[in-house]
Amino acid sequence: MSFHFKKLRIKDWLAYGGTTEIEFSDFTGGQNIVTIHGRNGYGKTSLLRALEFLFHDQLSRDEYFEHWHDDAQEEGEGTMEVALEFTYKDQLFKLIREVEFKPWSGGTTAATDSLTLINGETGEPEDQAQEKIDLMIPEKSKQFVFFDGAEITRYAQKQHEEGVREAIERVLGIPAIRNLGHDLDNLIEDLEDKQADIGLLQDESQELVQEIDELKNELHSYEEQKTNKEEKLSGIRESAAEVEKETAELAAVDSKQKELDGKRKRLRDKEERYNELTQQIEELLEQAPLLMLEEPLAQIVQQGQAQRSNGSSGSSRYGSYRQQKKLIESLLDEDVCVCGSPIDGNAEEHLQQEVERLSELIERTKDSSSDRMFTFNELSSLSATLERIRGMDVDGEELMDRRAAVRDRIEEIETDIHRLERELEGHEDTNVRENMRLQRQLANQASDLESDIEGLEENIKRVSDQIQEKQRRLDHVTSQTAEGSRVTNTLQTARGLNGAVNEFVDRLVSEKHEAIQATATDVFNGITNKPEEYAGINVKDDYTLEVYRHDGTTVENEKLSAGEKEVLAYSFITALNLSSPNPAPFVMDTPFGHLDSKHRDRLLQSLHQLDVQVFLLATDRDLPPAERERLQNHIADEFVIRRDQDAARSYIEAR
């Protein structure tokens, strides 16, 4: 462990009034975890901000006063300080950043900041302190050292801010080798200038130098054109990817819109059917009293027909009318008919009219008791009524069941419509065809640029070959003198080394990238709770991240949950840590706020795999006793943040 925090001192910084100092154990026996517990508001995040301030001060003058402890501010002068003793590449350093506050004219206070990096062996301050610190923890990659779980969205960005890629490669140790290549480029340029000076003494050499210069200018022009076209091609490809994504989204929206339109049409059809069934049920209820008369009316018709067939007087019409009237009056006394349906106003009115008609008939026939029960016409009318009643072949219960089924289907369709309307909310009318046209246009532009780049590469190779041929001839001519021979031999050696360095850098970048991607995928797959869906992590050339599924499709980072983003970021940080020759300690604030219990448990169990100190700034809820117990074998130090509420200051003590 070449990069190790040994002692941290904080003075009058945010929640920490006075001086707070904590020492950390050496890394032994796999114990690399330091836990610092504290309630919310006690100063956990203040520690993270102190380390960020120490290595990369980004505070303004006004923010200095905001971070100065209140008690110290009341005194009007003093020093706010963060200091750290640490080892880097097995060498001891002490880094001190302080802000001195002094009274100024007009009752104001001036703030002056300073940074000191002391060599632990010599006890002397180092020159260019900030530049050396940036080599240890590049500012653009500090988020991968000081991890803020409260700002998890920044770890799954689609695009890093400028400089992050270079910072990550610095952590991986790549720039040191690249610098060797730059030094060789400068050496080659100097030697070629000397060679040109020597060659100017000879006519052939002078012509070769001039031809080489012209070819280099031509080569430079081709390379610039290629770079420009590659940048355009990259932009077009990004645009094409965006359009493709948008087209897929629009197609999905269009499909949902069509589904919504179909659902609305089916809803209208079902509502019409529901209304039809309701009308049939209402008609059936209106006809219910007639249906009740079927049996007694059948008896009356049967008696009438028997009377006429036998030629006997039988019962008189007077008695029959009285019997009918009595039956109908009994119906009027009931609230519900024999069919189980209520007698509504229409039915009651109809029955009342029938009672009045029968009363008149009774009055007319009371002195004609010997008359036949019905005349032929009356009997025919009753028979026709009976046939009409018998023709009403309608099952009321079946109608009610069918209407209920339609109602259920209407509710299902309405639920689907509400869901689709929510999903389509905010989407404007889509035009998939226009996007597909734009896709074809971008594809044609990309194809043209690829052809242009291919042609430029052929020209670059042709001109490079010509330069090499003429350079070899110039080497031969200028090597005829002692000085020319020395310069030429050195130049040839430098060119060979430069080619080897460039090839090595390319291979190193590729190997580091592949190693980071493989390690990040292993860590991610060991923590994610969706192993059946997610297959791994793709680390792009600029070190932005994306999760891909088993079918090869990628997941939009915006669609990942906060917990999944944290697992994604942690997987990459772990891979970066394991790939760096001098990895920095890893400080995690609010580390598990977005994680469920399974994610948290798996992540905790992976912390000891990091070959660095891991600082967990956590509440007891973030790291309950049961989980802390499982980490016990890997914990080097435990600290607790206490709070003196009366003095309004926090302090740290060992647990």
Side-chain angles (χ1 to χ4, degrees), residues 165 168-181 499-517 541 543 576 578-581:
R165 175 177 178 174
I168 291 175
E169 290 187 348
R170 189 183 302 172
V171 170
L172 297 175
I174 294 171
I177 302 173
R178 275 211 174 103
N179 290 339
L180 176 60
V501 168
N502 290 334
E503 182 179 347
F504 179 71
V505 168
D506 291 341
R507 187 170 67 251
L508 179 63
V509 170
S510 177
E511 288 176 354
K512 289 285 189 181
H513 184 274
E514 291 176 1
I516 288 173
Q517 181 163 289
D541 291 341
Y543 295 99
L576 191 63
L578 296 175
S579 301
S580 173

Side-chain angles (χ1 to χ4, degrees), residues 108-176:
T108 61
T109 303
T112 305
D113 66 295
S114 64
L115 175 69
T116 306
L117 178 64
I118 299 174
N119 188 310
E121 295 182 2
T122 65
E124 297 294 326
E126 294 273 341
D127 295 330
Q128 299 177 322
Q130 189 60 64
E131 287 76 4
K132 291 179 179 178
I133 289 300
D134 284 338
L135 290 175
M136 300 175 186
I137 302 178
E139 182 178 351
K140 293 295 185 180
S141 65
K142 68 177 183 179
Q143 64 182 14
F144 302 118
V145 176
F146 308 121
F147 180 86
D148 191 346
E151 299 181 14
I152 189 61
T153 54
R154 71 180 182 179
Y155 296 96
Q157 297 179 31
K158 183 178 180 181
Q159 182 176 354
H160 289 310
E161 64 176 282
E162 187 177 355
V164 171
R165 175 177 178 174
E166 291 77 7
I168 291 175
E169 290 187 348
R170 189 183 302 172
V171 170
L172 297 175
I174 294 171

Side-chain angles (χ1 to χ4, degrees), residues 623-642:
L623 193 61
E627 292 182 353
R628 190 169 68 247
E629 182 66 27
R630 290 200 295 272
L631 291 178
Q632 197 62 47
N633 292 336
H634 305 293
I635 294 178
D637 300 297
E638 286 190 276
F639 299 94
V640 179
I641 303 174
R642 306 294 187 190

Side-chain angles (χ1 to χ4, degrees), residues 271-302:
E271 286 176 339
E272 289 180 4
R273 181 57 181 153
Y274 182 84
N275 292 335
E276 291 174 359
L277 290 170
T278 299
Q279 181 64 31
Q280 292 180 26
I281 291 171
E282 290 177 352
E283 292 176 356
L284 179 62
L285 291 175
E286 290 178 359
Q287 296 169 355
L290 292 176
L291 294 174
M292 290 188 305
L293 294 175
E294 179 182 356
E295 185 175 345
L297 184 58
Q299 294 177 0
I300 293 172
V301 170
Q302 184 179 8

Side-chain angles (χ1 to χ4, degrees), residues 21 25 43 92 177 185 212 239 267 274 325 357 371 383 390 432 437 480 563 567 589 602 611:
E21 189 172 281
S25 303
L92 181 64
I177 302 173
D185 286 337
I212 289 172
S239 298
L267 178 62
Y274 182 84
K325 178 182 177 183
R357 186 182 72 82
D371 290 343
S383 298
R390 287 173 173 171
V432 177
R437 184 196 65 78
Q480 301 305 311
V567 173
D589 181 32
R602 291 176 177 175
D611 192 24

